Amino acid sequence: MEIFFGAFTSEWEQRRAAFLHEASLGPKRRSSAEDEMKRRLRAMAELGGGGGAGGGGGSQPKTRRAAARSIFATEARSAAARPMEARLAAVAQGSQPAVVKMASYGGGARVGAMLNYVSRGGELAVENENGERIGSREDLARLRGDWNHLFQNRAESRDIGSFTVEIATAAVSSDEAMHELVRNSLTSAFGDRHYAYAVTRQADGALTVQGAVVLRSGQGERLTGDEKAASIIQSRYDASAAAQDVAARFSFQGYGNGVEYGASKLRSLVERHNGNVCDDRGQIVGDEKQAGDLVQREWRAGLHSRKSRDVMHLIMSARAGTNVAVFENAARDFLAEQFAGHRYVFAMHDPANDPKEKGEGGKRPHVHAHAIITMRSESGDRIETTPQVFREWRGTMAEKARAQGIAMEMTDRREFAAPPAFTRNQVRPVSREGRTEHVGTSEAAQGRYDAKRGGRRSLAKAERSREYAIKATQSWQKIALASGDQRIVAYAEQQRDQLTASLSAGQAEATPNVVHADFGSRFRANLVTLQKLVLEGQDVRETSRAEFEIYEKQVEKALFKLERSVGPDDRNDFDEVANLARDHVNQRRELLELRKQRDEAMAGQGRDEQRSAGRDDATEQWNAAVVKHGEAVVEAGNHVMIDIEHYREGLDRFEAGEFSSGDKDAMQDGLNQAVERAAQLAIEGNTYIGELAERDPDLMRAIEEAGKRDAARPEEEKDKTPANVDATAEQQRDLRHEDAERPTNEPDDREAHEFASTVDATNRLQVRVNKEREATQRGGETTRTDPAQQHIPRLEELEREEIERKERDRDDRER
């Protein structure tokens, strides 16, 4: 079979069709994806061998082929892959670092507040992704509705609640006894939840307790922090032993999300009660710092906080003195390229036009732009925010700034031994005039803040980061040797010395040659591991889904290790190999799915064959019963037995709890009536029901009871109906006898016999119907309430149709 791949419009459809076509040709032909992957792996192995060999630290020239760009590579990645030496040389000459940072995330409910902040309450015009300027508050308010289809609108978790407890008059001998009483009451209600509280003693001896509590318990139960939660807590307290000693009334005044809310509430409680605050262990929370430490260190892990991430607040910054209009153009180009398909607005904040005063946090000396961006695009893709993604964003921002004439470069803190940044959860602002000043929410957070603001040198301890820092040291050394500008030389040597000192602080200084050789050996080992994993395709075709998932994780792990050891010059090659490896895995997954569909189809075919076999067995049993008892007898018995099975199945479902018990009595009455009809047919001479009764004890019992009742009836009533039945049975036996004596090679006689049998069956059924109808009318019932009687008109219709069909067939044969 020939496949025309041009019939598929999408590239992935063409590749999938090509793979499935090649797979159908058998194992002798290897797929093009595997061949291409092997070629790439061999090329990278040669590059890795060249990089690690020689021991000359790169003095030996290295040949590498001109690799084509992967179709999955982005311009942002190419910008981020700008050579380190070129970037650092530009920084030494005065280029400013690109700053793109995440300010916060927000749910759909916070979009209005975030837009209000960016636009300074509507005083600054914002620009959307289409270049349209939005200046009025009404237009800003409409943005929320325009973006709503992109929001998940997921509710934030309720993490910490504010509570009040009124404890009735209690005789306490000391403050310690009072606190012991309060903690006993709170623990009886809150369980193992963390809390902090302050007590106020009233004039009548009653106690008013105010505090904050973590709403999630250690077992995962989360209170809602409202009236419903208060009633739950109250009932638990009332059922506890503590309630027998003293009465207490619980209530919640509010709830909030996250560490910030909890720390704010706890600091406010400390301030109102002059430091007389205790936690659930009886420890004093005497000042705001201790309040922040308590929430950060002990409560945070138990919050399991969740916030909706529908939009993000992104900030792009430049040095003071940068041309505002030019930087605005660069920010516009960055957003348009990086967030194509997303909805966003942005606004420039510069000291000249910022309507917000310095003391309120406005008129910052540096130029910056604020952007509010939807996390989900119109096509459904969500933004990923990882360190690698932020690195690419900074690279794209620097590229767009350079295109506008601004000297800007993407930088990495490992190139300067800079300390890591602090997060907004680790600090809280204390002054917004000029540059915002913060204090840490814990000792560790304060240390991180001081290191960042003080410019303290720090180096990441991960082995990969140390290797990166050594490469940066080499680059600074090359810049110092190559430049003739003393200012650049001094700056490069300063950065080199700082990196060297930071590396030496952790371990003995490693020479660049040793690191380079180690890098190459590790690169080759990881490459071999990846090659072995990816090319074991023949085994993968026979694996189960669980085994395939393990295989897929192993490939991803090998790619991760290889990426850590790949050099900047080989980045494009690695991207292509990674894409081919993942395509290979995806193709194996498709084969697994196809095999699963094939197995399901075969299983379905087997079930159909079983059902067909079951139908054949049923047909054989029916034919045997018709030969033995007669078609009319079997049909009459079969109809009543169907009713019996229907009622029995219904009662079984009542017993299983599938239906309410309200209609069970009616179902039982229907079963009793159906069994009575079957027993009456057996008494009247239906031998088919008599045979079935031998395997049905309930039916046999009903037949015996019906026989006793029939024997007790007056003689004249007994003679009336059985005479008809005997006549009918005798007629049927005569017809059978005649049928046995008549030659089978006379079609007209055979058709006449079949017609007579059908008429006989119809007459007998009509007699029975009339008898049952008269009995029903005497009992005051209608066929409307008896499901079995509803089948009789349909049975008559079917028999008429059968007679007409046989007459038409006979006429056709005669013609």
Side-chain angles (χ1 to χ4, degrees):
M1 181 182 66
E2 185 176 2
I3 296 179
F4 297 95
F5 301 121
F8 300 96
T9 57
S10 301
E11 182 179 355
W12 74 268
E13 291 178 330
Q14 295 178 9
R15 290 190 288 111
R16 179 178 183 273
F19 172 78
L20 294 177
H21 175 61
E22 291 172 355
S24 66
L25 300 179
K28 293 184 178 180
R29 180 169 176 177
R30 191 177 300 274
S31 68
S32 59
E34 292 180 358
D35 296 337
E36 177 66 13
M37 187 182 306
K38 281 188 174 181
R39 186 172 63 82
R40 299 283 187 188
L41 289 171
R42 283 196 298 267
M44 288 191 69
E46 293 174 1
L47 293 175
S59 60
Q60 183 178 355
K62 180 174 62 176
T63 60
R64 66 186 297 268
R65 60 183 178 80
R69 276 282 305 275
S70 169
I71 61 173
F72 298 103
T74 62
E75 291 183 9
R77 177 171 293 176
S78 66
R82 181 173 161 90
M84 180 190 297
E85 190 170 332
R87 292 188 292 102
L88 297 184
V91 172
Q93 293 171 6
S95 292
Q96 58 178 305
V99 179
V100 180
K101 60 183 180 181
M102 179 72 64
S104 64
Y105 297 98
R110 291 196 61 234
V111 170
M114 298 172 78
L115 292 173
N116 187 65
Y117 175 83
V118 170
S119 65
R120 294 298 196 224
E123 296 185 42
L124 291 179
V126 300
E127 183 177 321
N128 67 10
E129 69 280 357
N130 298 320
E132 301 169 345
R133 306 286 288 184
I134 302 173
S136 67
R137 295 185 178 182
E138 293 76 12
D139 292 339
L140 284 173
R142 278 196 292 271
L143 279 179
R144 170 69 175 80
D146 295 341
W147 293 2
N148 189 62
H149 65 286
L150 301 174
F151 298 159
Q152 294 179 335
N153 289 319
R154 187 177 169 190
E156 294 181 342
S157 59
R158 302 182 183 185
D159 300 328
I160 295 177
S162 300
F163 67 87
T164 298
V165 184
E166 299 291 343
I167 299 179
T169 303
V172 291
S173 57
S174 63
D175 288 346
E176 291 183 1
M178 178 187 68
H179 283 287
E180 186 67 28
L181 173 66
V182 170
R183 284 196 297 274
N184 186 35
S185 300
L186 295 179
T187 302
S188 299
F190 294 142
D192 63 351
R193 294 174 173 85
H194 292 297
Y195 59 83
Y197 68 93
V199 185
T200 302
R201 192 191 298 268
Q202 304 298 331
D204 59 354
L207 303 177
T208 300
V209 182
Q210 294 178 317
V213 61
V214 175
L215 294 176
R216 189 181 187 276
S217 70
Q219 288 74 37
E221 180 196 34
R222 189 183 294 272
L223 297 173
T224 52
D226 51 15
E227 293 183 0
K228 181 179 179 181
S231 63
I232 294 173
I233 292 301
Q234 186 67 53
S235 62
R236 291 177 182 174
Y237 177 78
D238 293 341
S240 67
Q244 299 177 3
D245 299 330
V246 61
R249 181 61 53 188
F250 289 79
S251 62
F252 281 100
Q253 281 70 50
Y255 52 82
N257 174 269
V259 172
E260 293 180 355
Y261 176 85
S264 174
K265 285 296 180 182
L266 207 52
R267 290 191 188 102
S268 176
L269 187 68
V270 170
E271 184 179 357
R272 290 199 312 269
H273 292 272
N274 299 319
N276 294 320
V277 177
C278 295
D279 65 6
D280 51 290
R281 299 172 302 172
Q283 301 293 326
I284 299 296
V285 185
D287 54 33
E288 294 183 357
K289 182 179 181 304
Q290 291 179 352
D293 289 346
L294 179 64
V295 177
Q296 283 279 357
R297 294 182 177 182
E298 300 183 21
W299 290 11
R300 181 172 189 161
L303 296 182
H304 292 265
S305 185
R306 182 188 68 247
K307 281 188 177 182
S308 180
R309 290 189 174 185
D310 293 327
V311 295
M312 66 177 180
H313 180 187
L314 203 66
I315 300 176
M316 299 142 283
S317 302
R319 286 175 180 168
T322 303
N323 187 291
V324 177
V326 175
F327 183 73
E328 183 177 10
N329 292 335
R332 181 183 296 110
D333 294 343
F334 162 72
L335 292 171
E337 178 174 319
Q338 197 67 60
F339 303 108
H342 293 262
R343 307 292 293 273
Y344 61 82
V345 296
F346 77 98
M348 292 297 300
H349 289 189
D350 67 278
N353 300 324
D354 194 346
K356 201 172 185 179
E357 297 299 328
K358 278 187 177 182
E360 300 174 352
K363 299 187 182 299
R364 303 294 177 89
H366 62 285
V367 179
H368 59 282
H370 292 261
I372 307 299
I373 308 166
T374 60
M375 295 295 291
R376 191 172 70 174
S377 70
E378 294 288 354
S379 60
D381 298 325
R382 286 189 65 83
I383 297 173
E384 294 183 5
T385 52
T386 63
Q388 181 61 30
V389 169
F390 278 108
R391 181 184 176 91
E392 293 177 3
W393 289 358
R394 294 197 305 272
T396 305
M397 183 69 232
E399 180 186 10
K400 300 305 179 184
R402 290 195 300 272
Q404 295 292 332
I406 302 175
M408 184 177 289
E409 294 291 339
M410 188 279 297
T411 58
D412 190 305
R413 75 176 187 89
R414 297 171 295 180
E415 298 163 351
F416 302 89
F422 53 87
T423 65
R424 60 195 303 266
N425 290 329
Q426 294 173 327
V427 296
R428 61 186 180 88
V430 293
S431 174
R432 297 186 182 275
E433 187 171 355
R435 188 180 189 185
T436 304
E437 297 296 330
H438 301 81
V439 295
T441 54
S442 64
E443 292 182 4
Q446 184 65 46
R448 189 163 185 165
Y449 174 78
D450 293 339
K452 188 64 177 178
R453 286 295 172 89
R456 187 184 307 157
R457 298 298 169 180
S458 174
L459 192 65
K461 297 180 180 180
E463 185 63 25
R464 183 182 179 187
S465 296
R466 294 185 62 83
E467 293 173 357
Y468 188 94
I470 291 172
K471 290 182 178 296
T473 304
Q474 296 174 358
S475 296
W476 286 120
Q477 177 67 19
K478 292 178 182 179
I479 294 170
L481 293 175
S483 177
D485 189 330
Q486 292 300 319
R487 182 177 58 85
I488 296 176
V489 171
Y491 183 84
E493 289 179 346
Q494 179 186 10
Q495 300 302 325
R496 178 202 62 192
D497 295 341
Q498 289 174 346
L499 278 172
T500 302
S502 299
L503 287 167
S504 301
Q507 63 181 21
E509 184 177 357
T511 62
N513 292 340
V514 173
V515 172
H516 191 75
D518 181 63
F519 168 80
S521 63
R522 200 161 39 248
F523 173 81
R524 289 192 299 276
N526 292 332
L527 196 61
V528 170
T529 302
L530 174 64
Q531 188 173 13
K532 289 181 179 179
L533 280 172
V534 172
L535 298 182
E536 59 180 20
Q538 189 63 34
D539 294 335
V540 174
R541 292 191 179 95
E542 303 301 330
T543 58
S544 64
R545 178 169 293 278
E547 292 170 337
F548 174 79
E549 291 176 354
I550 295 174
Y551 164 77
E552 183 179 18
K553 291 178 181 179
Q554 289 174 343
V555 172
E556 288 297 329
K557 183 178 179 181
L559 284 173
F560 174 73
K561 290 183 177 180
L562 182 61
E563 183 181 12
R564 292 180 60 183
S565 58
V566 74
D569 296 336
D570 301 327
R571 183 71 194 187
N572 289 336
D573 286 329
F574 167 78
D575 292 337
E576 293 185 13
V577 169
N579 288 329
L580 287 170
R582 292 189 176 104
D583 286 345
H584 184 86
V585 174
N586 290 335
Q587 290 166 358
R588 300 306 177 203
R589 182 185 294 106
E590 290 184 4
L591 276 181
L592 189 68
E593 294 296 334
L594 290 173
R595 191 186 308 115
K596 179 182 177 182
Q597 294 175 9
R598 181 199 63 191
D599 294 343
E600 290 177 352
M602 294 178 64
Q605 183 178 359
R607 287 193 296 269
D608 292 341
E609 292 176 354
Q610 292 177 359
R611 284 195 293 269
S612 177
R615 287 193 295 269
D616 293 341
D617 293 341
T619 302
E620 292 178 1
Q621 294 176 5
W622 173 269
N623 293 335
V626 169
V627 170
K628 183 176 181 180
H629 304 285
E631 183 176 1
V633 173
V634 174
E635 285 186 351
N638 188 56
H639 278 295
V640 71
M641 292 305 297
I642 288 175
D643 291 338
I644 292 175
E645 292 302 321
H646 164 72
Y647 288 118
R648 285 175 174 174
E649 181 181 357
L651 289 173
D652 291 339
R653 299 180 73 176
F654 274 111
E655 294 295 334
E658 297 182 21
F659 301 135
S660 61
S661 58
D663 299 329
K664 185 176 180 181
D665 294 339
M667 186 69 70
Q668 184 64 52
D669 293 340
L671 175 61
N672 294 338
Q673 294 177 16
V675 172
E676 287 295 332
R677 287 196 300 273
Q680 189 62 39
L681 285 176
I683 293 299
E684 293 173 357
N686 192 307
T687 56
Y688 177 65
I689 292 182
E691 181 180 343
L692 295 179
E694 295 176 0
R695 301 188 298 270
D696 192 331
D698 294 338
L699 182 58
M700 180 62 74
R701 247 187 332 268
I703 293 174
E704 293 174 355
E705 293 176 359
K708 295 177 182 178
R709 289 196 301 271
D710 187 69
R713 285 183 355 190
E715 203 61 39
E716 59 273 11
E717 292 185 6
K718 282 198 295 183
D719 294 339
K720 190 181 297 182
T721 301
N724 295 334
V725 175
D726 294 341
T728 302
E730 185 65 30
Q731 183 182 6
Q732 183 177 357
R733 284 194 296 272
D734 293 342
L735 287 174
R736 289 179 188 168
H737 181 69
E738 293 176 4
D739 182 57
E741 293 179 352
R742 183 179 290 113
T744 58
N745 57 355
E746 298 179 3
D748 293 340
D749 294 342
R750 184 170 61 252
E751 295 295 334
H753 170 64
E754 292 178 355
F755 179 74
S757 298
T758 305
V759 171
D760 171 61
T762 303
N763 292 336
R764 288 189 288 105
L765 285 173
Q766 188 62 44
V767 170
R768 182 168 60 85
V769 169
N770 293 336
K771 285 171 52 185
E772 292 181 351
R773 187 174 298 154
E774 293 173 1
T776 302
Q777 291 174 353
R778 287 195 301 271
E781 297 179 353
T782 64
T783 59
R784 201 173 308 163
T785 62
D786 189 351
Q789 294 294 337
Q790 297 173 16
H791 294 293
I792 301 302
R794 177 59 178 161
L795 180 61
E796 295 172 356
E797 180 182 355
L798 290 174
E799 294 199 358
R800 284 196 302 270
E801 291 176 356
E802 182 65 15
I803 294 172
E804 292 172 359
R805 184 184 66 79
K806 291 182 178 180
E807 289 178 347
R808 287 196 303 270
D809 293 343
R810 182 176 58 190
D811 293 340
D812 291 341
R813 284 194 297 270
E814 290 176 353
R815 287 198 297 267

